Amino acid sequence: MVRLDGRSLTRADVLAVARGARVELDAAQLRAVQRTADFLVEQVRRQEPLYGVSTGFGSNADRLLGAHRLRGDAEGDPSLNEELQENLITSHAVCVGEPFPEEVVRAMLVIRINTLMKGHSGVRASTLEAYAAMLNAGVVPVVPKLGSVGASGDLAPLSHLAIVLLGKGEAFYRGERLPGGEALARAGLAPIRLSYKEGLALNNGTAQMLATAVLAAGRLSKLVELAEHCAAMSLEAFAGRLRAFDEHVHALRPHPGQVASAARLRALLAGSTLADIPYHLVPRAKPWLPGSWPNAALAAFRFDIGWDWVPADQRHGRERFYERFRPFRGGKKHQPQDSYSLRCVPQVHGAVRDAIAQLERVIDIELNAVTDNPLLFPDLPGARHVEEQVVSAGHFHGMPIALAMSYVKAAIPVLAAISERRLAKLVDPATNDGLPAFLVGNEDGTDSGCMIVQYTAAAIVNDLASRAHPATVFSVPTSANAEDHVSMGANEGRHVLDMTQDLARVLALELMTAAQALDFRRDTINAARRLAREADLGTFAAKIGNAPPDPHPLRPRFLAECDALRAELASAPEFGPSPAIAALHAAFRRRVAFIDRDRALDRDVAEAVRFVEDWIDGP
């Protein structure tokens, strides 16, 4: 149960209600709500001209309501004030397109109820109680996705919310799409009649864009965490270098997201025996051949391994290096740094974290803000006339949320792009540091492995980039130019929420590829260790290319250095990823198996995406 008081709604509360939690209205705050509604009734009794109460809306604001209809009143007609509010809702519910998912609409409802609980909008307590009852009963209005320009708030979609309260429109109830009145009746609820300003209060606000922002921020906070797990697994698969993530390094450029990302990588990679492994211990994978291994047990490997010896006459100027590292070139290149997609993860992921943090900061303010118009201050000290207590302002303008969403919108393809670059490096034999081409054994030349997985990721990244143009920069005036600058924040929020789904797909593809690469990296190094333990020097030395012939003056030195490499591998403990990455890898492998040869990968890709979605929905 989430208690609503207009002051303490959190992102976690909204997510809980979106997923089915019930709400209750704070009794003390309801009295404040009713105080404002009673104030409004008194002003109407005094015949004070009030925007949206005794006048029309928008460009009709100069039209004052009369006491009677010009064509005459019929028995049973609502008052003009009531008709004004009902017509506002029924005429504005004009959105088109597919309806929003129920979690978006439930988030819109709880946000709208909470902002009206602030007690500055003029709605009656009974109206908010009816809204809360509808939400708790599981009546979910049908709200098509397209129709809001983000000022004056989300007029059209919020009208689709409110119209069901009137017994009109459409709603989902227990999975069935029904006329609004029938949905209310099945839930044991009755429609209501709107009073002064209530239609305007119900549809004039930022609830749609804010609901999508909350849901998107919730997904993105999980996705950036997963992106760091994916990056860490990819780094393990590369047997990469960790010094770029050192705490003292990031203290010199302390952007909060960057510092947090580096710390997260350090924690994820703690205990790895693959990262920072000496270059010479990492063999490169070679295609398996029937004679690759000296016995049947070793022949079960899906690959062969090898190194190249560096003769003494090729070590000039690098003597100090070869004092620290043995003279063998295997899978890892002798260089002090990884490519940007690995080394710069804190800088890139951290910047995305900062964009999400900015969005969360804006959301946290907006969740407990008043966003309709006009604003009512019945107890304003020193007020001399009603114009000081009923103030027309612009809190419905969605630009604070819209610009924060634009920031995140640009960040999503950035996170997807660096993920795709890691994936591309893993499948490319020119850049994957000795792993098999396309991460498959392919001894017969018939397998493509993960080749086309990268194509799919590239296609999604391109699509995300093409959708990242900010909607906020293109205002289209509305309401006969009375609303001459709008935020387009509703489109921005809808775009961002949709884009999180494709970001999840790219991360799923990286995870699938990184898991495959990690299996190969771990197994090739441990195969070398096992060979060093089980084979004689001659068999081990046969894995090393560029060897001097026998006899040759350098042959004894070559064999001595081979034996030293063999001894170092034999004495090493088994190599593997950090505990955190090993756990992630094991969880993933329970759902997606290793690709030993080509098979239909569509089910694997779909299961990888489901794995990521389960991650997002998890604790």
Side-chain angles (χ1 to χ4, degrees):
M1 185 71 74
V2 173
R3 179 180 291 270
L4 302 180
D5 59 11
R7 296 184 300 271
S8 55
L9 186 65
T10 66
R11 284 176 275 122
D13 292 336
V14 174
L15 292 174
V17 174
R19 294 165 184 166
R22 294 165 59 85
V23 301
E24 61 180 356
L25 308 183
D26 182 84
Q29 191 59 27
L30 272 179
R31 290 191 288 273
V33 167
Q34 190 60 45
R35 163 78 180 98
T36 307
D38 294 342
F39 163 81
L40 201 55
V41 170
E42 176 62 18
Q43 302 313 308
V44 173
R45 187 190 65 79
R46 295 179 180 180
Q47 297 184 339
E48 294 283 1
L50 302 175
Y51 171 76
V53 177
S54 54
T55 76
F57 307 105
S59 61
N60 286 325
D62 60 346
R63 299 288 299 274
L64 289 169
L65 301 187
H68 304 285
R69 291 171 177 80
L70 293 177
R71 295 180 183 271
D73 293 336
E75 186 176 350
D77 281 345
S79 70
L80 286 177
N81 296 100
E82 291 175 328
E83 184 176 329
L84 175 71
Q85 302 303 317
E86 182 169 331
N87 285 352
L88 178 69
I89 297 300
T90 56
S91 68
H92 283 40
V94 293
C95 290
V96 297
E98 291 298 313
F100 275 112
E102 291 192 12
E103 68 171 6
V104 175
V105 180
R106 287 182 61 85
M108 291 169 65
L109 281 168
V110 68
I111 289 167
R112 197 73 207 127
I113 295 169
N114 187 69
T115 191
L116 296 176
M117 284 289 289
K118 293 284 283 191
H120 291 276
S121 302
V123 297
R124 296 165 296 171
S126 60
T127 299
L128 291 189
E129 289 170 333
Y131 236 169
M134 185 175 80
L135 175 59
N136 286 338
V139 176
V140 181
V142 173
V143 182
K145 291 183 176 181
L146 293 168
S148 173
V149 297
S152 295
D154 297 315
L155 288 171
L158 291 184
S159 295
H160 282 276
L161 281 189
I163 199 170
V164 176
L165 270 184
L166 308 181
K168 302 177 182 180
E170 290 185 296
F172 294 106
Y173 182 66
R174 296 183 176 176
E176 190 174 354
R177 186 169 178 169
L178 302 166
E182 185 176 346
L184 289 178
R186 289 197 189 183
L189 303 174
I192 68 169
R193 297 285 292 270
L194 298 178
S195 185
Y196 306 116
K197 192 184 173 290
E198 287 192 324
L200 188 57
L202 293 176
N203 77 358
N204 192 219
T206 60
Q208 178 191 318
M209 63 186 94
L210 185 53
T212 53
V214 172
L215 292 168
R219 287 178 61 84
L220 286 168
S221 64
K222 292 290 190 71
L223 286 170
V224 76
E225 286 283 342
L226 179 62
E228 274 148 15
H229 281 74
C230 292
M233 187 180 289
S234 292
L235 196 136
E236 294 267 35
F238 278 108
R241 304 156 180 88
L242 302 186
R243 294 302 302 276
F245 312 136
D246 284 356
E247 184 174 8
H248 66 273
V249 170
H250 292 277
L252 298 180
R253 195 193 190 199
H255 293 291
Q258 178 180 320
V259 170
S261 183
R264 189 68 178 142
L265 287 168
R266 291 195 301 272
L268 288 171
L269 293 163
S272 170
T273 53
L274 292 176
D276 287 331
I277 188 173
Y279 301 97
H280 55 266
L281 295 183
V282 182
R284 66 179 178 276
K286 297 170 61 179
W288 182 92
L289 293 170
S292 291
W293 297 98
N295 57 56
L298 290 172
F301 287 124
R302 301 170 289 267
F303 47 78
D304 194 2
I305 60 172
W307 294 264
D308 285 323
W309 184 59
V310 181
D313 59 2
Q314 295 180 22
R315 303 178 199 175
H316 300 304
R318 297 187 289 275
E319 289 83 1
R320 288 292 299 274
F321 176 85
Y322 287 110
E323 289 175 8
R324 295 182 56 208
F325 300 100
R326 302 191 190 281
F328 298 94
R329 295 193 183 110
K332 288 298 292 180
K333 296 176 183 176
H334 294 168
Q335 60 187 35
Q337 58 191 26
D338 290 311
S339 66
Y340 288 4
S341 61
L342 297 170
R343 184 178 12 136
C344 297
V345 167
Q347 290 79 4
V348 177
H349 289 206
V352 174
R353 281 180 173 271
D354 287 339
I356 298 168
Q358 169 64 5
L359 176 60
E360 291 172 341
R361 185 192 69 80
V362 171
I363 289 171
D364 291 344
I365 294 171
E366 193 79 2
L367 281 176
N368 296 287
V370 179
T371 58
D372 66 299
N373 182 64
L375 305 176
L376 308 183
F377 300 90
D379 302 313
L380 186 68
R384 293 166 296 175
H385 43 75
V386 72
E387 286 79 8
E388 295 177 354
Q389 295 171 289
V390 181
V391 181
S392 287
H395 286 359
F396 49 71
H397 204 294
M399 196 56 78
I401 309 169
L403 278 178
M405 293 290 273
S406 296
Y407 186 8
V408 167
K409 193 180 193 182
I412 289 173
V414 168
L415 195 60
I418 195 171
S419 172
E420 184 276 333
R421 287 294 81 200
R422 292 189 295 262
L423 187 166
K425 279 180 61 65
L426 286 168
V427 300
D428 185 351
T431 59
N432 68 12
D433 289 351
L435 294 172
F438 307 114
L439 302 178
V440 68
N442 198 26
E443 60 268 18
D444 296 313
T446 59
D447 296 324
S448 295
C450 294
M451 179 193 295
I452 308 301
V453 173
Q454 186 262 332
Y455 286 45
T456 301
I460 297 172
V461 168
N462 174 266
D463 189 65
L464 284 170
S466 68
R467 292 153 63 191
H469 181 79
T472 52
V473 303
F474 189 56
S475 171
V476 180
T478 54
S479 191
N481 251 357
E483 298 163 5
D484 56 355
H485 184 275
V486 298
S487 75
M488 294 299 177
N491 283 346
E492 206 74 290
R494 179 172 51 83
H495 294 165
V496 168
L497 184 57
D498 288 347
M499 289 167 71
T500 65
Q501 296 179 333
D502 281 337
L503 172 59
R505 292 173 178 134
V506 173
L507 294 178
L509 295 173
E510 182 188 0
L511 184 59
M512 177 178 170
T513 308
Q516 182 80 2
L518 179 56
D519 281 324
F520 270 116
R521 183 69 71 193
R522 179 199 61 210
D523 291 352
T524 53
I525 298 176
N526 283 320
R529 173 179 173 270
R530 186 171 169 186
L531 182 69
R533 289 186 166 200
E534 298 179 11
D536 58 26
L537 176 58
T539 302
F540 185 83
K543 297 295 183 187
I544 299 172
N546 205 29
D550 188 15
H552 189 280
L554 291 178
R555 183 72 179 179
R557 183 170 184 176
F558 165 74
L559 290 174
E561 291 177 340
C562 284
D563 201 32
L565 173 62
R566 173 172 165 253
E568 185 176 354
L569 279 167
S571 63
E574 187 169 2
F575 295 94
S578 70
I581 297 306
L584 174 61
H585 180 271
F588 187 76
R589 276 285 171 257
R590 286 193 287 271
R591 295 174 60 169
V592 179
F594 178 84
I595 304 166
D596 57 350
R597 64 189 65 229
D598 275 1
R599 62 174 185 255
L601 292 181
D602 55 339
R603 293 182 180 180
D604 293 335
V605 169
E607 189 59 36
V609 172
R610 282 191 289 271
F611 181 92
V612 169
E613 289 295 335
D614 290 345
W615 175 288
I616 296 169
D617 293 336

